[in-house]
Amino acid sequence: MLLSFNWLKEFVPYSGTAEELGAMLTMLGLELEEVLHPYAEIAQVVVGRVLTCENHPDSDHLHVCTVDVGGQEPLNIVCGAPNVAAGQLVPVAPVGATLPGGIVIKKAKLRGVPSFGMICSERELGLADDHSGILVLPEADRFGRRPELGERFIEAYGLDQEVLDISITPNRADCLSVHGFARLIGAYLGLPVSLPEFTLEENGEDISMTVPVEVLDGDLCPSYTGRIIKGAKTGPSPAWMRWRLNAVGIRAISNLVDVTNYILMELGQPLHAFDHNKLKGSRIIVRPATDGEELVTLDGQKRALKAGDGLICDADRPVALAGVMGGLETEITGESESVFLECAVFRPSSIRLTARRLGLNSEASYRYERGVDPTGMAFALDRAAALMAELSGASVCRGICKCTPRPWKPVPVRFRRSRAEALLGVPLTDEFCLKTLESLGCTVQCGDAEWTVCAPGWRYDLTREADLIEEIAIFKGVDRLGETLPSIPHNLESFGAPESRHAFMMRVKHWAAGLGLNEAVNYSFVGTADLDFLGLPEDGRVRIMNPLTAEQDVLRTELAPGLFQDVRRNLAQSAPGVRLFEIAECFTQDVSSDTTVREVRHMAMVLTGTRFDEVWGHEQADMDYADIRGLVEKLFAWLHLDTPSFALADGHAYLAPAVRVSMADGTAAGIIGRLKPALADSYLAKKPVWYADVDLDLLRKASQDRRAAFKALPVFPAVRRDITFIAPLDMHAETLLSAVRGVKGQLLDSAELLYVYEPEGAGVRNVTCRLTFRREDRTLQDGEVDKEREKIAAAVVRQLGVTV
């Protein structure tokens, strides 16, 4: 919903800014998407007066004009419009101004005559499609104020410079108009809300029986009314109406049609104008369609109708699709001089079904689908008739044609303050609750413990006690409700109980998120083709008897298919790096299980692309094996488990190289490795994709008996030394580290891998290890550290035959 800020202030005296209004509406449940500035591109255009207009000496269609724009001297402007003349008030884009489309006005010389600006047409200003001539401005705005020469055009004529794009939830049909927003803001801030003033003059005989209205289905159309306007002259709407409609995204058509759109946006009541002279039999019949009926709508399309579609008919044929779109045969044209103006209420579900089936989503159907205020019909009809008469020179016939088979009656809803306090968790007073409900337009009958509340006709959503309590919460301020969580009492029987499986999994998820991984949630269903593509065995697959789709016909045996598809989706959106994890069950057949299916909770992680986001201070490098292995090692350490062992695994289905992860007792705990490049290409990965999968149920069971013990922090500083070993290519770095750690000594605190470098063509690899030395009772001396380092280096050289 596009809400003009200036238009709103004509209804309610709001004194804040558009941004402040948007923030307030967001807290009231109507989210601000953005604040638009529809006329920002013509902000530099000013109002000028054409003083002289002479023919160009070297052109048969150009004119040389002098234009007063409030400066010391008038501007000399060459204009090619056929309607330019002396004395006109016109919009002028001076040199340096910018117009829609990025056009910058520059000093020019046209056929030898200098020109210092442009006199603009409506199309050049982005106001309309008319380019037949320049825009001649009225001498005063709609309120009678005369603009000053040189004044900004958008300010001189009050164009809507700020428009709020508000997201409206389906239940808030009351906020699909300027008046609806004004009601809400007035209720919340305690401001008065005023309706537009107008004078409706009726003439001639009473026509209420001249065009009888017959509604054959009161459920389809609870109320139908209409007025007749005669003697209208169809033409363009006044500038102020065209520009306002343009600001809220509606194209101006003609004065008679524009009035219906103006009332639609202003009051939220859809209207339709028929050419009265084209209605046959001088009668209106509202009825459901029958299968096979046809109607040519205003867009020129022949629509095949079904039973239940609402129709507006004259004595012989359908003339409009109720609440959706009018018919082509009775549309308003340039020759129309008599109008039958329709104002009705239709059943929302019927309008919704018809509009969806035919693909006709109009502004009218959008409102009818959500509910239109039946109590505001009379005002909207009279307001529209008065505007039509004012803008077209027509006269409004006396009387209203109407039929109301289902008069609107408010539905009583009970309200209990005690229930509201129980749901919201905050104390409330009767005075606050009563003031809030009455400010919304509700009528309240107060009892001792229970009230009877009747919602107004524009609040279709207030049908239950919970709806009333929601409004109380919104006006109280959802952001100001207490943060106290409900108490969950624990008894002594639960004290010391082991951690539940769910609590453990949630704890692991928080750990993974804390390391910068993003959680992925995928379907348990995958396709047979997905498993076959990764080379996973067919044995043990659990097939689905009635799959939702052919691509989801089997339960996943591993988490890999879903995560690799997630990688593909992220890379397709140009993500520089992907860091995902998923914790979920994998399924395999197991005849020993009660369900014949064994479910094991796994945790999988996948990494590819840059190690860090593009943030200053981080080295730009791609993630590699050390990253994925480091995550697995950190997981084991976080769960207080012994450091796992890693060994190459041959013949893995989709990883190469693949490394088996084992517990300290040798139990297989998972697998890590790189996705085979041929498979990675299919997932759009141009860089290595690193993957890890661990049996989380196994890790949980192993960590249950582990207890964290306090160890005093070191007091004395550590000393670090690096050693680079030159080793054969087939020697693993883990072998070197194990040898270093195996040297007996009292000073070595830890040893870790730092770098691995393979000189091109040398046939060896350089493995750099970082050694950390420390004593608990004193500070180490450089001499004794160097001696210990040499001792370790010599021992490794003797044991493995490497060089330093």
Side-chain angles (χ1 to χ4, degrees), residues 499-516:
E499 183 181 37
S500 68
R501 187 170 184 258
H502 174 74
F504 173 79
M505 300 306 171
M506 291 303 298
R507 194 158 58 92
V508 175
K509 287 184 179 183
H510 286 298
W511 168 84
L515 286 179

Side-chain angles (χ1 to χ4, degrees), residues 567-777:
V567 169
R568 177 189 178 91
R569 280 187 285 270
N570 280 270
L571 294 178
Q573 300 299 320
S574 303
V578 179
R579 297 175 286 275
L580 300 175
F581 80 94
E582 183 175 13
I583 296 176
E585 278 82 8
C586 295
F587 306 87
T588 54
Q589 290 183 350
D590 185 357
V591 295
S592 63
S593 172
D594 294 338
T595 62
T596 71
V597 177
R598 181 166 59 94
E599 302 181 23
V600 180
R601 183 72 63 92
H602 280 247
M603 178 179 184
M605 296 173 280
V606 63
L607 307 175
T608 187
T610 56
R611 180 172 290 117
F612 302 105
D613 294 331
E614 295 183 2
V615 179
W616 181 84
H618 287 304
E619 178 185 0
Q620 293 299 310
D622 293 334
M623 289 177 279
D624 54 23
Y625 170 74
D627 293 279
I628 196 70
R629 172 170 168 165
L631 288 174
V632 174
E633 289 178 332
K634 286 182 179 295
L635 176 61
F636 273 72
W638 181 72
L639 294 175
H640 306 294
L641 298 175
D642 296 333
T643 303
S645 60
F646 301 89
L648 283 174
D650 297 328
H652 194 273
Y654 54 87
L655 298 179
V659 177
R660 184 178 297 106
V661 182
S662 302
M663 309 281 286
D665 60 1
T667 304
I671 195 81
I672 62 176
R674 174 182 173 177
L675 180 63
K676 293 179 179 179
L679 301 178
D681 288 342
S682 301
Y683 296 110
L684 306 181
K686 305 302 181 185
K687 296 180 179 180
V689 178
W690 299 98
Y691 179 78
D693 186 301
V694 294
D695 186 336
L696 209 54
D697 283 337
L698 177 65
L699 300 189
R700 172 175 173 261
K701 182 178 179 181
S703 65
Q704 280 182 333
D705 297 331
R706 298 299 178 106
R707 295 292 181 268
F710 174 76
K711 181 180 179 181
L713 296 175
V715 177
F716 297 96
V719 179
R720 294 176 177 83
R721 294 288 188 271
D722 295 344
I723 302 179
T724 300
F725 296 100
I726 303 175
L729 287 175
D730 59 352
M731 181 177 291
H732 296 163
E734 184 67 26
T735 304
L736 280 167
L737 282 175
S738 299
V740 170
R741 293 166 181 157
V743 178
K744 294 182 178 181
Q746 298 181 349
L747 302 183
L748 183 63
D749 186 66
S750 65
E752 58 187 16
L753 179 66
L754 193 60
Y755 298 112
V756 176
Y757 172 67
E758 296 181 6
E760 186 176 355
V764 295
R765 64 170 50 165
N766 299 338
V767 181
T768 302
C769 302
R770 173 155 291 177
L771 311 182
T772 301
F773 301 93
R774 190 196 306 273
R775 283 187 66 105
E776 297 181 357
D777 56 348

Side-chain angles (χ1 to χ4, degrees), residues 337-353:
E337 61 87 23
S338 182
V339 177
F340 180 81
L341 182 60
E342 169 195 278
C343 180
V345 173
F346 299 104
R347 184 173 67 233
S349 59
S350 172
I351 305 302
R352 185 180 304 112
L353 291 173

